[in-house]
Amino acid sequence: MLAAGTAMAAPISDIQEGQTTIGYTHYNLSSNTHDVKDDSFYLESAVSQKFILGIENNSAFPYNGVKATDVYAQYKLDPNVRLIAGNRSYEDGPDKMFYGVGANVALAPKLDGYVSVTNSSIATEWQTGVNYKLDKQTSLTLGYKSYKEDHASTLDGVGFGANYTF
């Protein structure tokens, strides 16, 4: 029912072989001890019918306030479900491998819903939301994200973004 998307913070979008998407997302995350502004820029490219490669840069990462860069791949099990695997490189180290699953579904002619969950040896993140297509290339995103590192409070909140596919 739901369609898959990108790695840890990028919303899930449906791109086809030969297409590339560039996007931005902003989340206001909070817990009982932290408030975090989570901004990220991402680039994804569908290199075949089944594989999407991506890179994402987070400008302020939860808890440690440093930058993190994700390099990841998605494998489409079918048009709506993807497996996700990648590496998160923290500005202050160490790197962490992550894996997950995502899905998306058409809710209306211009509206898609998505959900994803990823996990590493130190954190679990899940998100859900909708992508509203302004036209064939531009979409707006509204979503909810939850991020939990081991031995720390859960950070969660609402976010928004935009992406452009070419």
Side-chain angles (χ1 to χ4, degrees):
M1 178 178 171
L2 297 171
T6 65
M8 300 287 266
I12 297 166
S13 59
D14 184 29
I15 60 174
Q16 303 302 314
E17 183 175 6
Q19 292 182 321
T20 297
T21 296
I22 186 167
Y24 165 79
T25 57
H26 172 84
Y27 280 92
N28 290 313
L29 304 175
S30 63
S31 72
N32 55 357
T33 59
H34 291 83
D35 287 326
V36 176
K37 306 291 187 219
D38 180 19
D39 292 303
S40 67
F41 295 91
Y42 59 93
L43 177 72
E44 296 181 328
S45 186
V47 296
S48 73
Q49 290 181 353
K50 296 279 190 180
F51 283 100
I52 296 171
L53 299 178
I55 186 167
E56 179 177 1
N57 184 279
N58 288 282
S59 63
F61 207 73
Y63 297 115
N64 55 13
V66 300
K67 294 179 183 176
T69 301
D70 296 346
V71 176
Y72 55 90
Q74 298 174 23
Y75 177 76
K76 292 182 180 182
L77 293 174
D78 69 28
N80 293 17
V81 178
R82 299 176 196 174
L83 298 177
I84 304 165
N87 183 70
R88 173 164 284 164
S89 177
Y90 294 93
E91 182 179 49
D92 63 350
D95 292 1
K96 295 291 180 183
M97 297 296 297
F98 62 86
Y99 58 91
V101 64
N104 73 329
V105 64
L107 300 173
K110 291 187 173 190
L111 190 67
D112 293 336
Y114 66 88
V115 64
S116 68
V117 63
T118 56
N119 189 61
S120 73
S121 63
I122 64 168
T124 299
E125 180 175 332
W126 67 269
Q127 60 181 308
T128 188
V130 293
N131 293 317
Y132 179 75
K133 298 173 189 167
L134 296 174
D135 57 35
K136 290 182 180 183
Q137 294 177 293
T138 310
S139 296
L140 299 177
T141 300
L142 179 63
Y144 178 85
K145 179 166 76 168
S146 178
Y147 178 85
K148 170 79 168 104
E149 284 186 8
D150 295 343
H151 312 294
S153 300
T154 299
L155 281 166
D156 55 3
V158 176
F160 61 90
N163 64 54
Y164 181 78
T165 301
F166 52 96

